[in-house]
Amino acid sequence: MDVPMVYAGDALQYGYIIESADRAGGLGHIDNTAAPFTTQNLDFPNGDYANILLARMLGPAGEFGLRFNMFFLTSIFLTALSGFAVARSVGLNRALASIVALSFTLLPFHFARLGHLFYTNYSAAAISFWLCMLATRPIWSAHTQSPWRRRGQFALIGLACAWCGSTGVYYAFFSCLALGVVGAVSSIHHGNCRPFFRAAILGALIAGTTMVQLMPSMLMHHDLGKNDEVAKRDFSESEIYGLKVSQLLLPIESHPIRRFRNLRSTYNSTAPLVNENSTAALGLLGSFGLCLALLLLVIPKFASTLPRHTQLSSQLLFSLLLFATIGGFGVMFALLVSPQLRALNRISPFIDYLALIVAAGVAQHLLFAKVRNKIAITVVTALVALVVIYDQAPIRNRKGFPPTFAANATAFDSDRDFAKALAMRLPAGAMVLQLPYIEYPEVGAALGDYTQFRNNLHAPKLHWTHGAMKGRAESRWLQALANSAPGQFARTVNAIGYSAIVVDKRGVTSLIEQQLAAMSHNQSSVIESTDGTQTAYILEKPTQSHARAVGADSGWYRLESGGTSSWQWAAGDASLKLSPTESKQNCTIAISLKTWEPRRVNAVVDDKILASVDLIPGTPGALQVAVPSATSRIYLRSTPAARSPTSDPRPVSFGLIMDSAPLCR
């Protein structure tokens, strides 16, 4: 149970988020990554506070593998419970509600998206449908319910809204979308606006819950500026990651019947735009419900004989399908409103639950209402359950899980032993430089965006470099260090006080080899991982640093390079961030600046000018600043105001030359 079912990729990031949320500073101040800086995860926010809290409750701090597995098992329970309870609330009998819950829980999405741990808790799909049904009718009758019962129902509704709003931004958005559709349809059907107003109130509660979770990020962006390098989205991605009806209806990728497997394999290998949306398959029962729901729309006479919740489910399903499908209304939303919600295929659990409700509603109306024999009902239910399990459960081939788990366990044990051995050799809080440098998050690194988190997760008391938020000072400084010439690299590593360098051998470049060679006289010992992927070089003098790192903080464009030089342009006034220090001594920063037109740059701390430099085009200017020990940021203010040079459409003022990682000595 201590080895996570998935030990690579996004699963490691989820472990990092859960463990970081458990530390004193939470996700707003993560003190064991981005060495020598600290960092945060608020630039890459997730509305998953309920999921994070749940994961933290399911295991002790540091046991990220146990927490991962327990969360997944709990998601199965929560999905089954919500699926059954909501199905019963709309009038389905126990047998049909059990089938709905079983098929909903064994949705292929549940297992295919295991690496995206929090998506496996899609209980919000069922709960939001319950809220939709509430919006269609008065919540209570003043003559039949006591005040205590009303308060209890109020509390339950509030909890349901909070749950939908705190188990992921996507699920919160889809829940609000469903409420909006149901509110509008029901208002038209009943000829009054009350259902729409009720739906709007419930949607506002869900949206409000999400906004509360995003508030820390918004406050940070107000203070430090928005980070445009993180979570950049384009409306076209809503097309790329949209839903495809064919993928909903096709068999799952590892179906036990070979002909079905081959059919899906042929589609995946030849069809365009096949990506994570391939996890949206509904299974046989869900596909039947989807086709039945669409059939009800074209046979209104038959649909009118069915219960209202069945009719409404088919209408809602069709509306969500039109929104999320490639080329649907979701693309228009991304183009006109916001492109941030790009992976619209993640709506598939909502569509699946609606399809199951339709199938069960029709079955109860046509069959179960006329059959009174309990034995016959039990036999039919058992047969359908077996079909669902055979069609959807991830047990096909019977060979997929043991080798995967064995590989996970081998890699897990190797990484754990390696990190623990390093932690035993170094004091708590010792800084460890990881090479090659990989930006965080979402950069498409050859080694995997989050593979270096395995060290942090196994030895959280050390201060690692991976996890520095790109677009912020810590990431820019570490990138400059990783690109430094060997001699400058060695001097900076020693000045900062790194205690060890950990190298992933699969990403070694000639520059890294030269940098390690320049550090060879400082190496006291070497630790190798048993799987041969990592090497730790423990440095001879892990002394306290006598310098502070200085990173380009807010107001800068991305790092640029040309020839042997690197630089960053400032969009106007900008700031520099210094790494934290326990020293009471002042230090001096010496940085080189350039400009394309004459200007003066002032270094300001607490509204006091500490130094100035007059820049002229074509000649770098040196700015030296004596920095008080308590300073954490320096503001660079210039005159005249930024303008766009003829060759650059951006407004720029001055540039920071980054041929080496700047230090305050």
Side-chain angles (χ1 to χ4, degrees):
M1 285 295 290
D2 65 328
V3 179
M5 293 182 70
V6 178
Y7 185 59
D10 290 276
L12 293 174
Q13 186 201 27
Y14 279 98
Y16 166 70
I17 290 172
I18 294 167
E19 296 300 317
S20 296
D22 223 5
R23 297 179 69 85
L27 296 177
H29 183 80
I30 304 173
D31 60 3
N32 67 341
T33 56
F37 295 88
T38 58
T39 191
Q40 43 76 25
N41 206 64
L42 300 181
D43 277 333
F44 197 51
N46 294 288
D48 286 290
Y49 278 30
N51 288 329
I52 292 173
L53 179 61
L54 181 62
R56 291 171 60 187
M57 293 169 58
L58 294 173
E63 294 290 341
F64 69 95
L66 176 63
R67 284 174 159 177
F68 186 100
N69 293 336
M70 288 300 297
F71 184 93
F72 176 67
L73 294 176
T74 303
S75 76
I76 292 176
F77 169 76
L78 291 173
T79 308
L81 178 63
S82 62
F84 178 82
V86 174
R88 289 287 291 153
S89 74
V90 296
L92 294 178
N93 61 41
R94 288 186 178 88
L96 287 172
S98 299
I99 293 297
V100 168
L102 178 67
S103 183
F104 182 56
T105 305
L106 295 182
L107 185 64
F109 182 96
H110 207 146
F111 307 95
R113 301 308 294 264
L114 183 54
H116 292 97
L117 180 63
F118 290 161
Y119 290 133
T120 64
N121 178 22
Y122 51 83
S123 53
I127 294 173
S128 65
F129 178 66
W130 178 68
L131 293 173
C132 287
M133 293 301 99
L134 285 181
T136 64
R137 60 182 185 272
I139 295 177
W140 65 75
S141 172
H143 301 290
T144 60
Q145 289 194 5
S146 67
W148 283 106
R149 189 170 182 180
R150 291 182 209 168
R151 293 189 189 102
Q153 192 162 11
F154 254 137
L156 184 60
I157 292 171
L159 183 62
C161 291
W163 185 257
C164 292
S166 61
T167 51
V169 173
Y170 275 96
Y171 294 163
F173 177 77
F174 296 148
S175 298
C176 291
L177 178 64
L179 281 166
V181 171
V182 167
V185 170
S186 295
S187 289
I188 295 172
H189 177 77
H190 293 292
N192 65 69
C193 295
R194 290 176 183 175
F196 183 80
F197 288 143
R198 286 193 289 262
I201 292 172
L202 296 174
L205 290 174
I206 295 173
T209 302
T210 303
M211 292 300 292
V212 168
Q213 297 167 92
L214 300 180
M215 190 63 68
S217 296
M218 291 187 285
L219 292 175
M220 186 192 70
H221 292 159
H222 178 269
D223 293 338
L224 302 180
K226 193 175 183 304
N227 189 345
D228 293 327
E229 295 184 30
V230 174
K232 294 184 68 174
R233 304 288 187 254
D234 186 82
F235 84 92
S236 62
E237 293 176 273
S238 298
E239 293 271 27
I240 297 171
Y241 299 108
L243 197 65
K244 302 174 78 173
V245 175
S246 55
Q247 290 176 323
L248 292 173
L249 300 177
L250 283 169
I252 58 179
E253 294 182 356
S254 300
H255 200 279
I257 298 176
R258 179 180 298 179
R259 181 170 295 181
F260 286 178
R261 286 202 308 271
N262 293 341
L263 180 65
R264 186 57 184 252
S265 177
T266 300
Y267 179 88
N268 286 354
S269 61
T270 56
L273 299 180
V274 175
N275 42 67
E276 69 167 65
N277 53 19
S278 65
T279 64
L282 301 181
L284 184 61
L285 187 58
S287 297
F288 173 74
L290 173 63
C291 295
L292 191 59
L294 298 180
L295 189 63
L296 294 181
L297 296 177
V298 298
I299 311 179
K301 186 175 181 179
F302 172 64
S304 64
T305 65
L306 298 173
R308 178 61 185 157
H309 69 79
T310 305
Q311 301 177 50
L312 200 58
S313 296
S314 65
Q315 295 163 355
L316 178 56
L317 186 154
F318 184 64
S319 300
L320 296 184
L321 197 61
L322 284 178
F323 182 86
T325 191
I326 291 177
F329 289 105
V331 178
M332 298 303 297
F333 179 88
L335 181 63
L336 300 176
V337 182
S338 171
Q340 286 299 314
L341 296 167
R342 58 175 180 168
L344 299 178
N345 67 86
R346 296 171 187 174
I347 204 172
S348 59
F350 289 71
I351 290 176
D352 178 72
Y353 193 73
L354 293 170
L356 294 173
I357 290 293
V358 170
V362 172
Q364 180 162 293
H365 179 71
L366 294 180
L367 301 176
F368 282 71
K370 300 177 182 178
V371 177
R372 301 299 180 183
N373 190 319
K374 292 185 178 181
I375 296 178
I377 292 175
T378 302
V379 170
V380 171
T381 302
L383 289 174
V384 174
L386 290 174
V387 171
V388 168
I389 293 171
Y390 183 75
D391 179 61
Q392 295 181 207
I395 55 175
R396 60 214 113 269
N397 300 334
R398 275 70 174 185
K399 298 179 180 179
F401 277 9
T404 301
F405 179 80
N408 282 349
T410 299
F412 182 92
D413 290 342
S414 174
D415 294 338
R416 179 192 57 196
D417 294 344
F418 173 79
K420 298 297 183 185
L422 184 59
M424 290 179 63
R425 297 286 300 275
L426 302 177
M431 294 187 293
V432 183
L433 175 64
Q434 294 168 275
L435 295 176
Y437 175 67
I438 300 176
E439 287 186 296
Y440 171 82
E442 296 183 329
V443 293
L447 289 179
D449 284 352
Y450 312 123
T451 187
Q452 290 180 336
F453 276 138
R454 53 192 177 151
N455 293 317
N456 174 290
L457 292 171
H458 286 295
K461 292 185 179 180
L462 296 179
H463 194 174
W464 304 87
T465 52
H466 185 62
M469 185 63 64
K470 70 177 179 180
R472 297 295 183 187
E474 51 267 30
S475 177
R476 290 162 172 167
W477 187 87
L478 286 166
Q479 187 178 23
L481 174 62
N483 293 334
S484 296
Q488 183 63 46
F489 174 86
R491 289 190 292 271
T492 304
V493 168
N494 289 328
I496 288 296
Y498 285 109
S499 297
I501 300 175
V502 169
V503 180
D504 192 316
K505 295 181 179 180
R506 297 166 296 179
V508 172
T509 63
S510 59
L511 177 59
I512 291 176
E513 291 176 342
Q514 295 171 34
Q515 291 169 337
L516 293 175
M519 294 292 301
S520 59
H521 64 285
N522 278 7
Q523 299 170 12
S524 62
S525 59
V526 176
I527 298 175
E528 295 276 356
S529 63
T530 55
D531 64 0
T533 60
Q534 294 190 97
T535 301
Y537 300 92
I538 299 178
L539 303 183
E540 192 173 51
K541 297 187 296 182
T543 58
Q544 288 190 347
S545 64
H546 59 271
R548 299 174 68 182
V550 182
D553 193 24
S554 60
W556 305 90
Y557 296 112
R558 287 185 63 89
L559 186 70
E560 302 174 52
S561 299
T564 59
S565 182
S566 298
W567 64 89
Q568 286 185 273
W569 285 110
D573 293 342
S575 65
L576 301 173
K577 179 180 178 182
L578 282 73
S579 61
T581 180
E582 296 180 359
S583 173
K584 302 299 183 181
Q585 295 182 344
N586 299 343
C587 61
T588 301
I589 298 176
I591 57 176
S592 294
L593 303 174
K594 65 179 183 177
T595 184
W596 69 277
E597 68 173 359
R599 69 176 55 250
R600 167 168 285 195
V601 177
N602 298 321
V604 179
V605 175
D606 295 331
D607 293 326
K608 180 181 178 181
I609 298 178
L610 299 185
S612 300
V613 62
D614 291 311
L615 302 177
I616 60 175
T619 304
L623 179 63
Q624 290 196 348
V625 188
V627 182
S629 60
T631 302
S632 60
R633 276 185 174 82
I634 297 173
Y635 296 90
L636 303 181
R637 296 172 182 166
S638 68
T639 54
R643 290 198 301 138
S644 299
T646 55
S647 59
D648 195 326
R650 304 170 300 178
V652 298
S653 52
F654 53 87
L656 173 64
I657 298 175
M658 296 282 285
D659 295 339
S660 61
L663 296 174
C664 187
R665 297 179 180 273

PDB file of all heavy atoms in Angstrom, residues 271-299:
ATOM      1  N   ALA A 271      -7.367   7.818 -36.556  1.00  0.00           N
ATOM      2  CA  ALA A 271      -8.240   8.999 -36.452  1.00  0.00           C
ATOM      3  C   ALA A 271      -7.445  10.207 -35.971  1.00  0.00           C
ATOM      4  O   ALA A 271      -6.470  10.073 -35.225  1.00  0.00           O
ATOM      5  CB  ALA A 271      -9.396   8.721 -35.500  1.00  0.00           C
ATOM      6  N   PRO A 272      -7.835  11.403 -36.385  1.00  0.00           N
ATOM      7  CA  PRO A 272      -7.152  12.610 -35.903  1.00  0.00           C
ATOM      8  C   PRO A 272      -7.619  12.990 -34.499  1.00  0.00           C
ATOM      9  O   PRO A 272      -8.667  12.531 -34.025  1.00  0.00           O
ATOM     10  CB  PRO A 272      -7.574  13.678 -36.924  1.00  0.00           C
ATOM     11  CG  PRO A 272      -8.932  13.220 -37.369  1.00  0.00           C
ATOM     12  CD  PRO A 272      -8.886  11.711 -37.366  1.00  0.00           C
ATOM     13  N   LEU A 273      -6.835  13.837 -33.846  1.00  0.00           N
ATOM     14  CA  LEU A 273      -7.185  14.417 -32.545  1.00  0.00           C
ATOM     15  C   LEU A 273      -7.500  13.349 -31.505  1.00  0.00           C
ATOM     16  O   LEU A 273      -8.493  13.418 -30.773  1.00  0.00           O
ATOM     17  CB  LEU A 273      -8.362  15.387 -32.675  1.00  0.00           C
ATOM     18  CG  LEU A 273      -8.152  16.603 -33.583  1.00  0.00           C
ATOM     19  CD1 LEU A 273      -9.402  17.456 -33.616  1.00  0.00           C
ATOM     20  CD2 LEU A 273      -6.964  17.419 -33.115  1.00  0.00           C
ATOM     21  N   VAL A 274      -6.652  12.336 -31.432  1.00  0.00           N
ATOM     22  CA  VAL A 274      -6.781  11.322 -30.387  1.00  0.00           C
ATOM     23  C   VAL A 274      -5.742  11.633 -29.314  1.00  0.00           C
ATOM     24  O   VAL A 274      -4.543  11.603 -29.568  1.00  0.00           O
ATOM     25  CB  VAL A 274      -6.579   9.899 -30.940  1.00  0.00           C
ATOM     26  CG1 VAL A 274      -6.585   8.881 -29.809  1.00  0.00           C
ATOM     27  CG2 VAL A 274      -7.657   9.573 -31.962  1.00  0.00           C
ATOM     28  N   ASN A 275      -6.188  11.933 -28.130  1.00  0.00           N
ATOM     29  CA  ASN A 275      -5.294  12.296 -27.029  1.00  0.00           C
ATOM     30  C   ASN A 275      -5.935  11.819 -25.731  1.00  0.00           C
ATOM     31  O   ASN A 275      -6.433  10.693 -25.699  1.00  0.00           O
ATOM     32  CB  ASN A 275      -5.029  13.808 -27.035  1.00  0.00           C
ATOM     33  CG  ASN A 275      -6.278  14.629 -27.311  1.00  0.00           C
ATOM     34  OD1 ASN A 275      -7.210  14.658 -26.508  1.00  0.00           O
ATOM     35  ND2 ASN A 275      -6.334  15.282 -28.482  1.00  0.00           N
ATOM     36  N   GLU A 276      -5.958  12.667 -24.711  1.00  0.00           N
ATOM     37  CA  GLU A 276      -6.574  12.226 -23.462  1.00  0.00           C
ATOM     38  C   GLU A 276      -8.065  11.979 -23.610  1.00  0.00           C
ATOM     39  O   GLU A 276      -8.676  11.320 -22.763  1.00  0.00           O
ATOM     40  CB  GLU A 276      -6.338  13.247 -22.350  1.00  0.00           C
ATOM     41  CG  GLU A 276      -7.080  14.572 -22.521  1.00  0.00           C
ATOM     42  CD  GLU A 276      -7.055  15.398 -21.233  1.00  0.00           C
ATOM     43  OE1 GLU A 276      -5.971  15.815 -20.810  1.00  0.00           O
ATOM     44  OE2 GLU A 276      -8.141  15.614 -20.673  1.00  0.00           O
ATOM     45  N   ASN A 277      -8.668  12.472 -24.698  1.00  0.00           N
ATOM     46  CA  ASN A 277     -10.098  12.230 -24.896  1.00  0.00           C
ATOM     47  C   ASN A 277     -10.408  10.760 -25.176  1.00  0.00           C
ATOM     48  O   ASN A 277     -11.574  10.355 -25.168  1.00  0.00           O
ATOM     49  CB  ASN A 277     -10.678  13.120 -26.003  1.00  0.00           C
ATOM     50  CG  ASN A 277      -9.898  13.026 -27.311  1.00  0.00           C
ATOM     51  OD1 ASN A 277      -9.157  12.074 -27.542  1.00  0.00           O
ATOM     52  ND2 ASN A 277     -10.066  14.026 -28.164  1.00  0.00           N
ATOM     53  N   SER A 278      -9.365   9.947 -25.402  1.00  0.00           N
ATOM     54  CA  SER A 278      -9.594   8.515 -25.612  1.00  0.00           C
ATOM     55  C   SER A 278     -10.044   7.817 -24.333  1.00  0.00           C
ATOM     56  O   SER A 278     -10.463   6.660 -24.371  1.00  0.00           O
ATOM     57  CB  SER A 278      -8.314   7.850 -26.139  1.00  0.00           C
ATOM     58  OG  SER A 278      -7.281   7.913 -25.172  1.00  0.00           O
ATOM     59  N   THR A 279      -9.960   8.513 -23.177  1.00  0.00           N
ATOM     60  CA  THR A 279     -10.392   7.921 -21.908  1.00  0.00           C
ATOM     61  C   THR A 279     -11.885   8.122 -21.654  1.00  0.00           C
ATOM     62  O   THR A 279     -12.374   7.780 -20.583  1.00  0.00           O
ATOM     63  CB  THR A 279      -9.608   8.541 -20.738  1.00  0.00           C
ATOM     64  OG1 THR A 279      -9.926   9.944 -20.635  1.00  0.00           O
ATOM     65  CG2 THR A 279      -8.113   8.392 -20.940  1.00  0.00           C
ATOM     66  N   ALA A 280     -12.614   8.683 -22.624  1.00  0.00           N
ATOM     67  CA  ALA A 280     -14.006   9.069 -22.398  1.00  0.00           C
ATOM     68  C   ALA A 280     -15.011   7.974 -22.730  1.00  0.00           C
ATOM     69  O   ALA A 280     -16.219   8.228 -22.714  1.00  0.00           O
ATOM     70  CB  ALA A 280     -14.337  10.326 -23.221  1.00  0.00           C
ATOM     71  N   ALA A 281     -14.556   6.751 -23.026  1.00  0.00           N
ATOM     72  CA  ALA A 281     -15.487   5.684 -23.383  1.00  0.00           C
ATOM     73  C   ALA A 281     -16.492   5.440 -22.260  1.00  0.00           C
ATOM     74  O   ALA A 281     -16.147   5.471 -21.078  1.00  0.00           O
ATOM     75  CB  ALA A 281     -14.719   4.402 -23.691  1.00  0.00           C
ATOM     76  N   LEU A 282     -17.751   5.177 -22.631  1.00  0.00           N
ATOM     77  CA  LEU A 282     -18.818   5.003 -21.650  1.00  0.00           C
ATOM     78  C   LEU A 282     -19.061   3.552 -21.268  1.00  0.00           C
ATOM     79  O   LEU A 282     -19.707   3.278 -20.255  1.00  0.00           O
ATOM     80  CB  LEU A 282     -20.127   5.595 -22.187  1.00  0.00           C
ATOM     81  CG  LEU A 282     -20.124   7.081 -22.533  1.00  0.00           C
ATOM     82  CD1 LEU A 282     -21.509   7.506 -23.018  1.00  0.00           C
ATOM     83  CD2 LEU A 282     -19.691   7.924 -21.348  1.00  0.00           C
ATOM     84  N   GLY A 283     -18.586   2.625 -22.067  1.00  0.00           N
ATOM     85  CA  GLY A 283     -18.945   1.239 -21.834  1.00  0.00           C
ATOM     86  C   GLY A 283     -20.273   0.909 -22.506  1.00  0.00           C
ATOM     87  O   GLY A 283     -20.999   1.787 -22.996  1.00  0.00           O
ATOM     88  N   LEU A 284     -20.605  -0.376 -22.519  1.00  0.00           N
ATOM     89  CA  LEU A 284     -21.781  -0.840 -23.255  1.00  0.00           C
ATOM     90  C   LEU A 284     -23.073  -0.238 -22.708  1.00  0.00           C
ATOM     91  O   LEU A 284     -23.908   0.273 -23.470  1.00  0.00           O
ATOM     92  CB  LEU A 284     -21.846  -2.372 -23.185  1.00  0.00           C
ATOM     93  CG  LEU A 284     -22.962  -3.046 -23.990  1.00  0.00           C
ATOM     94  CD1 LEU A 284     -22.799  -2.744 -25.475  1.00  0.00           C
ATOM     95  CD2 LEU A 284     -22.935  -4.552 -23.749  1.00  0.00           C
ATOM     96  N   LEU A 285     -23.244  -0.259 -21.388  1.00  0.00           N
ATOM     97  CA  LEU A 285     -24.492   0.243 -20.802  1.00  0.00           C
ATOM     98  C   LEU A 285     -24.610   1.753 -20.964  1.00  0.00           C
ATOM     99  O   LEU A 285     -25.675   2.272 -21.312  1.00  0.00           O
ATOM    100  CB  LEU A 285     -24.563  -0.140 -19.323  1.00  0.00           C
ATOM    101  CG  LEU A 285     -25.887   0.170 -18.615  1.00  0.00           C
ATOM    102  CD1 LEU A 285     -27.049  -0.529 -19.298  1.00  0.00           C
ATOM    103  CD2 LEU A 285     -25.807  -0.240 -17.142  1.00  0.00           C
ATOM    104  N   GLY A 286     -23.523   2.477 -20.730  1.00  0.00           N
ATOM    105  CA  GLY A 286     -23.563   3.926 -20.906  1.00  0.00           C
ATOM    106  C   GLY A 286     -23.813   4.314 -22.345  1.00  0.00           C
ATOM    107  O   GLY A 286     -24.549   5.279 -22.621  1.00  0.00           O
ATOM    108  N   SER A 287     -23.224   3.571 -23.291  1.00  0.00           N
ATOM    109  CA  SER A 287     -23.450   3.857 -24.711  1.00  0.00           C
ATOM    110  C   SER A 287     -24.906   3.619 -25.097  1.00  0.00           C
ATOM    111  O   SER A 287     -25.500   4.387 -25.864  1.00  0.00           O
ATOM    112  CB  SER A 287     -22.532   2.973 -25.570  1.00  0.00           C
ATOM    113  OG  SER A 287     -21.171   3.260 -25.311  1.00  0.00           O
ATOM    114  N   PHE A 288     -25.479   2.546 -24.538  1.00  0.00           N
ATOM    115  CA  PHE A 288     -26.898   2.279 -24.789  1.00  0.00           C
ATOM    116  C   PHE A 288     -27.753   3.423 -24.254  1.00  0.00           C
ATOM    117  O   PHE A 288     -28.688   3.891 -24.920  1.00  0.00           O
ATOM    118  CB  PHE A 288     -27.296   0.960 -24.132  1.00  0.00           C
ATOM    119  CG  PHE A 288     -28.769   0.678 -24.191  1.00  0.00           C
ATOM    120  CD1 PHE A 288     -29.374   0.280 -25.371  1.00  0.00           C
ATOM    121  CD2 PHE A 288     -29.558   0.820 -23.050  1.00  0.00           C
ATOM    122  CE1 PHE A 288     -30.739   0.031 -25.426  1.00  0.00           C
ATOM    123  CE2 PHE A 288     -30.920   0.570 -23.094  1.00  0.00           C
ATOM    124  CZ  PHE A 288     -31.514   0.177 -24.282  1.00  0.00           C
ATOM    125  N   GLY A 289     -27.436   3.892 -23.060  1.00  0.00           N
ATOM    126  CA  GLY A 289     -28.183   5.004 -22.482  1.00  0.00           C
ATOM    127  C   GLY A 289     -28.043   6.269 -23.292  1.00  0.00           C
ATOM    128  O   GLY A 289     -29.014   7.031 -23.454  1.00  0.00           O
ATOM    129  N   LEU A 290     -26.842   6.527 -23.829  1.00  0.00           N
ATOM    130  CA  LEU A 290     -26.626   7.710 -24.664  1.00  0.00           C
ATOM    131  C   LEU A 290     -27.484   7.658 -25.921  1.00  0.00           C
ATOM    132  O   LEU A 290     -28.164   8.645 -26.276  1.00  0.00           O
ATOM    133  CB  LEU A 290     -25.142   7.813 -25.028  1.00  0.00           C
ATOM    134  CG  LEU A 290     -24.755   8.894 -26.046  1.00  0.00           C
ATOM    135  CD1 LEU A 290     -25.067  10.283 -25.492  1.00  0.00           C
ATOM    136  CD2 LEU A 290     -23.278   8.794 -26.412  1.00  0.00           C
ATOM    137  N   CYS A 291     -27.475   6.526 -26.593  1.00  0.00           N
ATOM    138  CA  CYS A 291     -28.284   6.396 -27.810  1.00  0.00           C
ATOM    139  C   CYS A 291     -29.774   6.501 -27.487  1.00  0.00           C
ATOM    140  O   CYS A 291     -30.545   7.117 -28.236  1.00  0.00           O
ATOM    141  CB  CYS A 291     -27.990   5.057 -28.486  1.00  0.00           C
ATOM    142  SG  CYS A 291     -26.287   4.907 -29.097  1.00  0.00           S
ATOM    143  N   LEU A 292     -30.175   5.935 -26.358  1.00  0.00           N
ATOM    144  CA  LEU A 292     -31.569   5.997 -25.947  1.00  0.00           C
ATOM    145  C   LEU A 292     -31.984   7.438 -25.637  1.00  0.00           C
ATOM    146  O   LEU A 292     -33.083   7.878 -26.003  1.00  0.00           O
ATOM    147  CB  LEU A 292     -31.785   5.108 -24.725  1.00  0.00           C
ATOM    148  CG  LEU A 292     -33.225   4.832 -24.290  1.00  0.00           C
ATOM    149  CD1 LEU A 292     -34.015   4.173 -25.415  1.00  0.00           C
ATOM    150  CD2 LEU A 292     -33.221   3.928 -23.053  1.00  0.00           C
ATOM    151  N   ALA A 293     -31.075   8.182 -24.980  1.00  0.00           N
ATOM    152  CA  ALA A 293     -31.368   9.582 -24.648  1.00  0.00           C
ATOM    153  C   ALA A 293     -31.572  10.412 -25.909  1.00  0.00           C
ATOM    154  O   ALA A 293     -32.492  11.245 -25.983  1.00  0.00           O
ATOM    155  CB  ALA A 293     -30.241  10.166 -23.804  1.00  0.00           C
ATOM    156  N   LEU A 294     -30.749  10.194 -26.907  1.00  0.00           N
ATOM    157  CA  LEU A 294     -30.897  10.937 -28.154  1.00  0.00           C
ATOM    158  C   LEU A 294     -32.165  10.515 -28.890  1.00  0.00           C
ATOM    159  O   LEU A 294     -32.814  11.325 -29.558  1.00  0.00           O
ATOM    160  CB  LEU A 294     -29.658  10.721 -29.034  1.00  0.00           C
ATOM    161  CG  LEU A 294     -28.327  11.205 -28.438  1.00  0.00           C
ATOM    162  CD1 LEU A 294     -27.185  10.940 -29.403  1.00  0.00           C
ATOM    163  CD2 LEU A 294     -28.398  12.681 -28.096  1.00  0.00           C
ATOM    164  N   LEU A 295     -32.537   9.231 -28.732  1.00  0.00           N
ATOM    165  CA  LEU A 295     -33.752   8.741 -29.370  1.00  0.00           C
ATOM    166  C   LEU A 295     -34.991   9.401 -28.763  1.00  0.00           C
ATOM    167  O   LEU A 295     -35.957   9.727 -29.475  1.00  0.00           O
ATOM    168  CB  LEU A 295     -33.835   7.219 -29.221  1.00  0.00           C
ATOM    169  CG  LEU A 295     -34.938   6.503 -30.017  1.00  0.00           C
ATOM    170  CD1 LEU A 295     -34.726   6.683 -31.513  1.00  0.00           C
ATOM    171  CD2 LEU A 295     -34.957   5.019 -29.658  1.00  0.00           C
ATOM    172  N   LEU A 296     -34.964   9.629 -27.454  1.00  0.00           N
ATOM    173  CA  LEU A 296     -36.108  10.266 -26.793  1.00  0.00           C
ATOM    174  C   LEU A 296     -36.356  11.669 -27.325  1.00  0.00           C
ATOM    175  O   LEU A 296     -37.501  12.146 -27.339  1.00  0.00           O
ATOM    176  CB  LEU A 296     -35.880  10.325 -25.281  1.00  0.00           C
ATOM    177  CG  LEU A 296     -35.835   8.985 -24.533  1.00  0.00           C
ATOM    178  CD1 LEU A 296     -35.624   9.219 -23.046  1.00  0.00           C
ATOM    179  CD2 LEU A 296     -37.101   8.174 -24.781  1.00  0.00           C
ATOM    180  N   LEU A 297     -35.295  12.336 -27.763  1.00  0.00           N
ATOM    181  CA  LEU A 297     -35.453  13.699 -28.269  1.00  0.00           C
ATOM    182  C   LEU A 297     -36.198  13.736 -29.597  1.00  0.00           C
ATOM    183  O   LEU A 297     -36.849  14.731 -29.922  1.00  0.00           O
ATOM    184  CB  LEU A 297     -34.073  14.353 -28.426  1.00  0.00           C
ATOM    185  CG  LEU A 297     -33.275  14.566 -27.128  1.00  0.00           C
ATOM    186  CD1 LEU A 297     -31.914  15.157 -27.443  1.00  0.00           C
ATOM    187  CD2 LEU A 297     -34.044  15.477 -26.168  1.00  0.00           C
ATOM    188  N   VAL A 298     -36.108  12.659 -30.357  1.00  0.00           N
ATOM    189  CA  VAL A 298     -36.775  12.637 -31.666  1.00  0.00           C
ATOM    190  C   VAL A 298     -38.104  11.878 -31.612  1.00  0.00           C
ATOM    191  O   VAL A 298     -38.800  11.771 -32.625  1.00  0.00           O
ATOM    192  CB  VAL A 298     -35.853  12.018 -32.746  1.00  0.00           C
ATOM    193  CG1 VAL A 298     -34.598  12.861 -32.907  1.00  0.00           C
ATOM    194  CG2 VAL A 298     -35.481  10.579 -32.394  1.00  0.00           C
ATOM    195  N   ILE A 299     -38.425  11.302 -30.436  1.00  0.00           N
ATOM    196  CA  ILE A 299     -39.735  10.656 -30.263  1.00  0.00           C
ATOM    197  C   ILE A 299     -40.397  11.289 -29.039  1.00  0.00           C
ATOM    198  O   ILE A 299     -40.514  10.672 -27.972  1.00  0.00           O
ATOM    199  CB  ILE A 299     -39.601   9.128 -30.072  1.00  0.00           C
ATOM    200  CG1 ILE A 299     -38.704   8.524 -31.149  1.00  0.00           C
ATOM    201  CG2 ILE A 299     -40.975   8.453 -30.122  1.00  0.00           C
ATOM    202  CD1 ILE A 299     -38.507   7.037 -31.001  1.00  0.00           C
TER     203      ILE A 299
END
